[in-house]
Amino acid sequence: GDWVWILTRGKIISRTTTGAPLLMCGIHLDITSQKRVFDALQDSEHTYELIALGTPSALYDWRIETDDIVWRGRSYEVMGVDGNEELPLHSSEFQAWVHPDDHAQYRNTIRLYFKRETPGLKGTLRLIRRDASVMWVEYHGAAMWDSAG
């Protein structure tokens, strides 16, 4: 036989006059497939984090539908921000880091990519760090398109 993961739920529904359990109702569910999926997801996340920490890049996920930015790996180090500060959490906050002379070009690059007029999102721009130093960055991005495009 094989070992399986079981989720068990139960409840005492009747007790004796002394309070001892008399009748119990319960269910056992085989959750082996869910456990395998969960373990595979954890392995994938662990691998992604190792890759993110092993590259000298600022990595992020931009969730366009909510405009949330989640920074990964060594982003704080690369962006010159210590652990007590926050990196931009929304695209408007990130735009504040972009050098004023690069705003139009950066927005246009994103616009063309979202219209699928360019094969990839890539370019260079200057970021103004918290300490007012200017850092040149090369950026690359890729979108995951939904069924509506």
Side-chain angles (χ1 to χ4, degrees):
D2 293 328
W3 287 92
V4 295
W5 284 90
I6 300 293
L7 173 66
T8 302
R9 297 277 190 230
K11 182 178 182 179
I12 298 170
I13 56 174
S14 180
R15 295 182 180 272
T16 65
T17 56
T18 61
L22 179 64
L23 186 59
M24 181 176 164
C25 181
I27 187 170
H28 301 289
L29 299 171
D30 181 348
I31 60 165
T32 305
S33 61
Q34 292 94 322
K35 179 70 172 143
R36 286 183 183 136
V37 168
F38 178 78
D39 290 347
L41 178 61
Q42 278 190 315
D43 288 346
S44 177
E45 288 176 349
H46 180 72
T47 300
Y48 179 79
E49 190 62 25
L50 287 175
I51 292 168
L53 290 171
T55 184
S57 301
L59 302 176
Y60 64 91
D61 295 320
W62 177 19
R63 309 219 168 111
I64 294 169
E65 62 279 351
T66 61
D67 195 34
D68 294 329
I69 298 175
V70 178
W71 295 91
R72 309 276 185 195
R74 296 174 49 198
S75 295
Y76 284 82
E77 176 187 338
V78 171
M79 301 289 282
V81 174
D82 67 36
N84 298 324
E85 297 179 79
E86 287 291 326
L87 285 169
L89 299 176
H90 304 286
S91 63
S92 60
E93 294 173 20
F94 181 75
Q95 285 284 334
W97 285 54
V98 176
H99 191 283
D101 294 343
D102 297 337
H103 275 241
Q105 177 266 337
Y106 178 64
R107 282 193 306 268
N108 189 53
T109 301
I110 292 172
R111 182 184 63 79
L112 292 173
Y113 180 64
F114 284 170
K115 290 175 66 177
R116 297 189 183 189
E117 293 182 15
T118 59
L121 177 64
K122 63 181 180 177
T124 57
L125 57 77
R126 290 165 287 180
L127 294 178
I128 304 171
R129 297 167 124 186
R130 292 271 195 247
D131 66 3
S133 65
V134 175
M135 173 177 63
W136 278 96
V137 297
E138 181 177 354
Y139 60 89
H140 301 266
M144 294 176 62
W145 308 99
D146 63 15
S147 59

